[in-house]
């Protein structure tokens, strides 16, 4: 199994420590998953190992690194909406799905030290799974990151670097360090193994409901859940498990919506923007590195890109809290976008919305 470059198709072993192709293109994974089959799910496992037949990573390493991530419930919010409770996770966000697989891969190829940049949740995850794997870890976070997230990262024994300026500047600083000091870049965006973890979101939904709901809402910043969802759905389609793609709504914050702007003008190349301040910090990505790859999915499957109104985030968070669900602002943004769409277009029955991050992580 190799990586191949998304720009020039150059192939490289997955054992490489180099974060991207010489031409600048990001790696993709050359992997044809076996046919999905509920009978092959390992029902005695309660973490991602349950789906080990379809996760191309060393099973022993995954077993050692796993913290019991995944297996999050789907609950009914009301007549039309189901929520997948993906903050019921070891570090309280869906990123644990990706971090478990990525750090298992890093462990299996003998990596001893990693760097990573994150607005918080992915940093929490990589720090925790590095700790479990016995790998040294340094996380770069942008200024303004919730102190609670920083405390969590530190608690796992990782080093934290707070970088002044935007989320994109923080990523630049981290990548510079990875390149200059030749440290493994455990990036949830660059490393294709991360998406092999987030795709289990879809496997679980299918196993839990024995179908995929008609309308899936998915937050979209760098696309770590979005790409995982697309890989998972394509695998289910290819194996004949489902017959058609559901309707997919990709959600951006209105103050940082490069995909919404690009799609509006029908362009095929992602337009980078400077994000305005937003409470949806987790998806405030002005220059998504896999932008063109994500646009391909958007055009191929007629995915709607919708935006969350900034002034709808707190009311949406409050509305969910009043039903016992306490989530962070970025997660409330997905629900706020759903509510706005319902206001514009009427009821959207059979909708599934991910509850990606826990409320205790944000400050306001
Ligand atoms: C709470 C939350 N929701 C959703 C996302 C998804 O964002 P992305 O598309 O950048 O992976 C993130 C990423 O940090 C997040 O922290
Ligand atoms: Zn290349």
């Amino acid at each position: 199994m190799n990586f191949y470059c998304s720009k020039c198709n150059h192939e490289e072993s997955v054992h490489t420590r180099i974060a991207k192709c010489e031409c600048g293109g990001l790696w993709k994974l050359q992997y044809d998953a076996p046919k999905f089959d509920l009978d092959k799910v390992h029902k005695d496992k309660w973490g991602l190992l349950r789906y080990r037949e379809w996760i191309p990573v060393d099973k022993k390493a995954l077993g050692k690194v796993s913290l019991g991530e995944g297996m999050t419930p789907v609950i009914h919010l009301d007549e039309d909406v189901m929520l997948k409770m993906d903050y019921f996770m070891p570090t309280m966000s869906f990123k644990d799905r990706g971090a478990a697989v990525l750090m298992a891969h890093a462990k299996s190829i003998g990596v001893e030290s990693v760097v990573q940049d994150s607005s918080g949740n992915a940093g929490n995850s990589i720090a925790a799974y590095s700790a479990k794997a016995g790998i040294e870890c340094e996380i770069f976070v942008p200024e303004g990151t919730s102190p609670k997230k920083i405390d969590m990262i530190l608690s796992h024994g990782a080093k934290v670097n707070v970088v002044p300026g935007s989320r994109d500047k923080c990523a630049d600083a981290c990548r510079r360090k990875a390149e200059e000091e030749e440290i493994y870049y455990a990036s949830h965006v660059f490393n294709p193994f991360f998406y092999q973890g987030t795709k289990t979101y879809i496997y679980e939904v299918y196993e839990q409901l024995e179908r995929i709901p008609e309308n899936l809402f998915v937050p979209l910043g760098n696309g770590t859940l979005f790409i995982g969802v697309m890989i998972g759905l394509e695998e289910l389609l290819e194996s004949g498990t489902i017959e058609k793609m559901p309707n997919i709504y990709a959600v951006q914050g209105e103050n940082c919506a490069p995909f919404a702007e690009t799609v509006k003008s029908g362009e095929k190349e992602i337009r980078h923007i400077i994000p305005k301040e937003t409470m949806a910090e987790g998806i405030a990505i002005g220059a998504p590195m896999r932008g063109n790859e994500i646009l391909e999915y958007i055009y191929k499957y007629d995915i709607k890109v919708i935006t969350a109104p900034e002034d709808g985030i707190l009311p949406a968070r409050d509305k969910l809290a009043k039903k016992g669900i306490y989530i962070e602002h970025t997660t409330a943004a997905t629900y706020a976008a759903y509510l706005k769409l319902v206001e514009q277009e009427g009821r959207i029955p059979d909708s599934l919305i991910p509850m990606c991050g826990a409320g205790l992580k944000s400050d306001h």
Side-chain angles (χ1 to χ4, degrees), residues 220-224 226-227 250 259 288-299 303:
L220 178 57
N222 267 314
T224 59
F226 178 88
I227 292 175
F259 288 101
M289 295 301 296
R290 291 191 183 269
N292 293 337
E293 200 176 315
I294 291 168
L295 277 178
E296 271 179 38
Y297 283 124
I298 289 174
Y299 290 124
I303 292 167

Side-chain angles (χ1 to χ4, degrees), residues 4 16 19 38 52 55 57 67 76 78 101 130 143-144 169 176 188 201 220 258 286 297 311 324 330 332 334 357:
Y4 67 99
T16 185
L38 279 182
R52 68 178 183 228
I55 299 177
V57 78
L67 290 164
H76 286 270
D78 55 38
V101 177
S130 292
E143 67 180 344
K169 281 230 170 75
R176 222 175 302 126
H188 52 302
Y201 177 88
L220 178 57
Y297 283 124
D311 65 4
T330 303
T334 309

Side-chain angles (χ1 to χ4, degrees), residues 41-155:
V41 172
H42 293 266
K43 302 214 166 62
D44 56 333
K45 300 286 185 244
W46 294 89
L48 292 199
L49 277 172
R50 193 172 180 87
Y51 303 110
R52 68 178 183 228
E53 298 306 320
W54 303 280
I55 299 177
V57 78
D58 182 78
K59 312 298 178 249
K60 270 200 186 133
L62 187 56
K64 277 195 184 140
V65 168
S66 176
L67 290 164
E69 60 293 322
M71 298 300 291
T72 63
V74 173
I75 65 162
H76 286 270
L77 179 72
D78 55 38
E79 224 181 315
D80 292 336
V81 176
M82 287 174 287
L83 305 176
K84 182 141 173 78
M85 308 303 276
D86 249 32
Y87 69 92
F88 294 9
M89 286 274 185
T91 78
M92 296 189 282
S93 91
F94 78 96
K95 301 276 188 190
D96 291 349
R97 296 182 184 278
V101 177
L102 169 48
M103 293 314 297
H105 171 68
K107 187 73 185 165
S108 72
I109 63 169
V111 168
E112 286 175 351
S113 157
V114 299
V115 289
Q116 191 245 22
D117 53 271
S118 161
S119 62
N121 281 330
N124 280 168
S125 276
I126 294 291
Y129 284 86
S130 292
K132 187 79 185 332
I135 292 175
E136 241 178 68
C137 176
E138 180 171 348
I139 306 288
F140 289 66
V141 298
E143 67 180 344
T145 297
S146 150
K148 287 174 190 158
K149 289 180 179 170
I150 294 178
D151 284 349
M152 268 182 79
I153 296 170
L154 289 168
S155 78

Side-chain angles (χ1 to χ4, degrees), residues 4-10 20-27:
Y4 67 99
C5 171
S6 52
K7 270 194 188 156
C8 75
N9 281 326
H10 167 73
K20 59 177 187 203
C21 179
E22 261 180 26
C23 81
L26 297 193
W27 301 129

